[in-house]
Amino acid sequence: MPISSRNRVCFLPLAAILLAVLPFLLFSASVDGQPPPETTGSTLVSETPPADTVAGQPPAVEGLTAADTPDDEGGSVTVKWTEPAGAAELGLTYRVMRADSPDGQYTEVCELAAGENEFMDAGLTDGQQYCYKVFSIVGPGTAESGPTAPASPRGNWFRMYRLNALILLLVFSGSVLYYISRARRAKPIYIRKIAGLNAVDEAVGRATEMGKKILYIPGIMSIDEIQTIASLAILGHVARLSAQYNADLEVPNKDPLTFASARETVKEAYLEAGRPDLFREEMVNYVTYDQFAYTASVTGKMVRERPATNFLIGSFYAESLLLAESGQSVGAIQISGTAEVAQLPFFVVACDYTLIGEELYAASAYLSREPVLLGSIKGQDLTKLLLMLALGLGVILESFGVAFVKDAFRMH
Amino acid sequence: MRKQVPLLLTFCAGMIPIVALFVPERHVSTVSTTLDSWLIIVAGFALLLGVVNVVQMNTNKIRRKTSGWPYAVVLLAGLAIMGTFGFAGAFGGFGGIATRLDGTSTPFDWLYQNAFLPLQGTMFALLAFFMASASYRAFRARNVEATILLIAALIVMFGRIPFGEMVTKWFPLTTEWIMAKPNMAAQRGIMIGAGLGAASMALRVIVGIERSYLGLGKGE
């Protein structure tokens, strides 16, 4: 979606500031977010002679530390150590032991093979102190490390490693909400033409003229999938048109939650169009929860009833081509839309119009022409512009061996 | 109330997982996982609603003798047979629903292995034929774009089979380049756009601007 040149000029400095500030914030976050100083067992090890000094004994682990696991909900301590040289060749195993105090009764927590040098002990009580020892074992030989100083687990309030995601979320939400509020009072926002959505009226009209059915397939996923919600928004528009034209609409469903929502959407659309008398319960029906049984049912319906118009909008997987090709073979006008990248080529080949990725999500705004919805698309475009700038900057800096832009966007 | 309550519920249900993503506090994650469990329970009840709808719809079809009513008989018979063996098996009848300890099949398992799976496989196998017909249509050199697509597809197809490598080593190399560079760049472009679109849509749903999925129109 294009952004006006005036806004582009306004937001280029903003983008530059954002990109300049983000690494600094991340750097300071990584400093602030460092876990509390770890308590090493090495100081206490000196009090007892290392076990590996005895001939024939395996070497003991070194640098044993125990500390509260950072950025977690509490109840866990992370134990780390440095493996002795040649641990793998010796076939060492490590037995992690836990006690309430350095001199307390140690019980086994877990056993790990050579190559492991870290263990997260979960299911502990916050605030209580725990000490750890690690035994190196080869056959009958055992070497014991000194105990760590006490460490106590505690809950944290923020996952510092997700700070960059939070900043991006705030920038994105801020820009969307800003443009939504601006759209309430500003002049109409321009949105480029989307052929697939322009064809919706024509497709419904065609079915009405031919006296044939409109088949609306809202994907195969449940209502917790955002593509399904986007599809239901388009279904509302199609159902309103069907009510106005007195066209025959059918919505077969695979998911029971989508079925319940789709029925409500269609019912309300008929009510809003002033034709509640035309709504029939069987318009929106449930088929089955199985993917291919659903596909068999819908393709069978296409072949037998020869609908004039098919809408395939939502989240689709392997059934996309089966449905689209069946519809194509019976000569129906087909409008499809999905954000599943792997299914897009099938729809492009077999359908007359395809809503690609973001066009699907923009559909409700495009069809309703409500300024607040259009405003959200404008805000989305701003974030896209910022990301494009960051991508460009990242590529250039990475070419010169500077990785901070790439690191700033790294998600954990 | 009809408008406010669903919107408030949507706001809470949308915000809790977002907060849980950033806040590791135990109570927040408990609420978030509880919400997920509720979704499963609600879906279970909705499935029951779906089964009732299937029975109603198909019974009406048979009663009215509408076109294709014999299919409705087959569907209801399948539902009744699988449902009976499934329910009875779940409570220990007919030896359960899985294979028996002696290796013989329970009725439910036998039907699943010998009726359901082959039918499912048949549907999936049809994909190969549909793919051939779709490819034929897509790769006709009608214009410049379609011709480029045809050439790219031919190179990729030859690059993926041993014969292509036998002809020239450039086939697999060019295939690798096409898949890793132009193809990946286009895919990522679509994915970034779709990701932002999905986030924007989710934000509209959470703040209650997008409400058409609730059946609420402009005026509400």
Side-chain angles (χ1 to χ4, degrees):
Chain A
M1 316 293 161
I3 290 177
S4 70
S5 56
R6 190 166 63 96
N7 288 336
R8 204 176 295 143
V9 171
C10 290
F11 285 108
L12 279 173
L14 179 65
I17 291 165
L18 177 79
L19 288 170
V21 167
L22 195 61
F24 170 75
L25 282 171
L26 285 174
F27 175 72
S28 49
S30 65
V31 172
D32 296 342
Q34 276 177 355
E38 291 172 335
T39 50
T40 65
S42 57
T43 51
L44 292 166
V45 168
S46 61
E47 292 170 12
T48 51
D52 56 349
T53 53
V54 182
Q57 291 286 76
V61 300
E62 291 168 359
L64 181 68
T65 62
D68 169 48
T69 307
D71 304 330
D72 73 340
E73 62 177 27
S76 76
V77 165
T78 300
V79 185
K80 292 178 183 174
W81 60 90
T82 307
E83 283 196 283
E89 288 75 25
L90 286 169
L92 279 185
T93 53
Y94 304 118
R95 186 175 296 156
V96 182
M97 311 288 286
R98 182 180 65 212
D100 293 341
S101 65
D103 305 321
Q105 180 71 35
Y106 281 85
T107 53
E108 184 182 336
V109 181
C110 77
E111 205 162 288
L112 302 165
E116 304 277 352
N117 62 349
E118 189 177 327
F119 171 69
M120 194 180 78
D121 190 12
L124 306 176
T125 309
D126 282 354
Q128 193 174 317
Q129 293 192 328
Y130 297 95
C131 297
Y132 291 86
K133 278 182 182 177
V134 172
F135 288 6
S136 314
I137 303 166
V138 178
T142 303
E144 180 186 333
S145 73
T148 63
S152 53
R154 63 183 175 87
N156 300 95
W157 281 95
F158 186 70
R159 291 189 171 98
M160 287 306 291
Y161 59 87
R162 286 194 178 145
L163 182 68
N164 56 353
L166 181 68
I167 291 170
L168 272 177
L169 181 72
L170 291 177
V171 169
F172 177 71
S173 307
S175 66
V176 168
L177 294 175
Y178 168 73
Y179 276 105
I180 285 172
S181 70
R182 224 181 86 149
R184 288 183 201 274
R185 52 184 194 279
K187 60 182 180 180
I189 291 170
Y190 169 77
I191 182 166
R192 72 168 167 84
K193 283 187 178 173
I194 301 175
L197 295 173
N198 285 344
V200 170
D201 287 28
E202 178 201 333
V204 176
R206 180 179 188 258
T208 314
E209 282 170 12
M210 292 173 77
K212 286 188 173 179
K213 194 171 269 185
I214 299 166
L215 207 56
Y216 191 101
I217 301 155
I220 61 161
M221 295 307 283
S222 191
I223 198 74
D224 61 344
E225 166 65 53
I226 196 81
Q227 292 181 66
T228 309
I229 296 178
S231 176
L232 291 183
I234 302 171
L235 172 63
H237 181 79
V238 171
R240 260 192 298 279
L241 287 175
S242 304
Q244 283 163 11
Y245 298 160
N246 192 10
D248 187 9
L249 173 69
E250 184 172 350
V251 188
N253 289 277
K254 188 231 159 208
D255 183 83
L257 284 175
T258 309
F259 157 65
S261 307
R263 174 171 280 185
E264 207 58 29
T265 303
V266 173
K267 199 174 184 177
E268 288 295 327
Y270 272 73
L271 195 66
E272 204 179 296
R275 301 303 304 270
D277 53 308
L278 293 178
F279 175 76
R280 289 169 288 110
E281 293 277 308
E282 59 265 30
M283 275 179 173
V284 185
N285 53 65
Y286 184 72
V287 181
T288 173
Y289 199 70
D290 184 76
Q291 182 187 14
F292 287 110
Y294 174 77
T295 311
S297 168
V298 177
T299 50
K301 212 178 277 279
M302 283 177 183
V303 173
R304 285 193 303 276
E305 300 177 13
R306 297 185 166 266
T309 302
N310 292 333
F311 289 95
L312 300 124
I313 298 175
S315 182
F316 291 88
Y317 292 93
E319 71 290 339
S320 63
L321 187 63
L322 295 172
L323 294 169
E325 274 292 290
S326 300
Q328 213 274 343
S329 69
V330 298
I333 181 169
Q334 299 203 103
I335 298 175
S336 60
T338 188
E340 301 294 342
V341 178
Q343 309 307 323
L344 277 169
F346 298 138
F347 279 153
V348 170
V349 167
C351 297
D352 299 280
Y353 301 96
T354 302
L355 304 174
I356 297 172
E358 63 183 315
E359 291 178 345
L360 168 67
Y361 301 114
S364 66
Y366 187 90
L367 293 169
S368 69
R369 296 279 161 182
E370 280 189 65
V372 285
L373 293 179
L374 291 173
S376 71
I377 294 175
K378 186 105 176 169
Q380 176 190 325
D381 280 353
L382 173 66
T383 314
K384 203 190 298 175
L385 176 70
L386 294 177
L387 283 178
M388 282 162 64
L389 288 171
L391 273 171
L393 188 67
V395 168
I396 294 166
L397 290 177
E398 187 72 13
S399 305
F400 290 103
V402 183
F404 78 85
V405 174
K406 190 179 78 178
D407 293 340
F409 282 88
R410 195 185 297 279
M411 294 290 169
H412 299 280
Chain B
M1 282 294 276
R2 187 181 160 278
K3 186 179 85 173
Q4 275 91 3
V5 173
L7 290 179
L8 185 69
L9 284 174
T10 307
F11 178 78
C12 295
M15 283 306 291
I16 288 167
I18 295 174
V19 173
L21 185 73
F22 297 106
V23 178
E25 211 281 326
R26 194 166 293 166
H27 295 96
V28 177
S29 55
T30 305
V31 173
S32 184
T33 46
T34 307
L35 262 185
D36 292 343
S37 309
W38 285 5
L39 181 71
I40 296 165
I41 295 166
V42 172
F45 280 103
L47 189 60
L48 195 66
L49 191 74
V51 173
V52 170
N53 181 263
V54 167
V55 174
Q56 273 180 348
M57 287 269 302
N58 288 284
T59 313
N60 286 342
K61 252 187 197 174
I62 296 165
R63 198 184 299 136
R64 290 178 197 155
K65 295 271 190 300
T66 51
S67 87
W69 68 268
Y71 297 110
V73 176
V74 175
L75 192 148
L76 286 179
L79 180 68
I81 293 166
M82 284 297 272
T84 306
F85 286 128
F87 265 112
F91 291 104
F94 302 109
I97 53 171
T99 313
R100 292 193 185 98
L101 288 174
D102 61 2
T104 57
S105 289
T106 58
F108 183 85
D109 184 53
W110 190 89
L111 282 169
Y112 181 79
Q113 297 289 346
N114 297 290
F116 185 77
L117 282 185
L119 287 169
Q120 207 177 34
T122 306
M123 280 307 295
F124 194 50
L126 284 176
L127 201 56
F129 299 99
F130 281 124
M131 211 172 272
S133 66
S135 307
Y136 173 72
R137 218 174 25 257
F139 299 151
R140 272 181 300 183
R142 288 164 299 181
N143 49 40
V144 179
E145 289 90 345
T147 312
I148 293 170
L149 189 67
L150 170 67
I151 294 166
L154 283 174
I155 293 170
V156 171
M157 280 192 279
F158 276 111
R160 295 274 190 211
I161 54 172
F163 177 71
E165 198 173 357
M166 206 176 78
V167 174
T168 167
K169 66 177 174 130
W170 287 104
F171 272 129
L173 289 174
T174 318
T175 298
E176 198 68 27
W177 183 83
I178 289 172
M179 297 307 286
K181 298 290 177 342
N183 173 61
M184 188 55 75
Q187 281 202 22
R188 283 186 180 162
I190 293 170
M191 283 193 280
I192 290 172
L196 288 174
S200 171
M201 178 93 192
L203 194 63
R204 294 200 300 260
V205 169
I206 289 171
V207 298
I209 295 165
E210 177 72 67
R211 51 184 73 174
S212 47
Y213 70 99
L214 287 171
L216 299 176
K218 290 180 199 173
E220 294 185 80

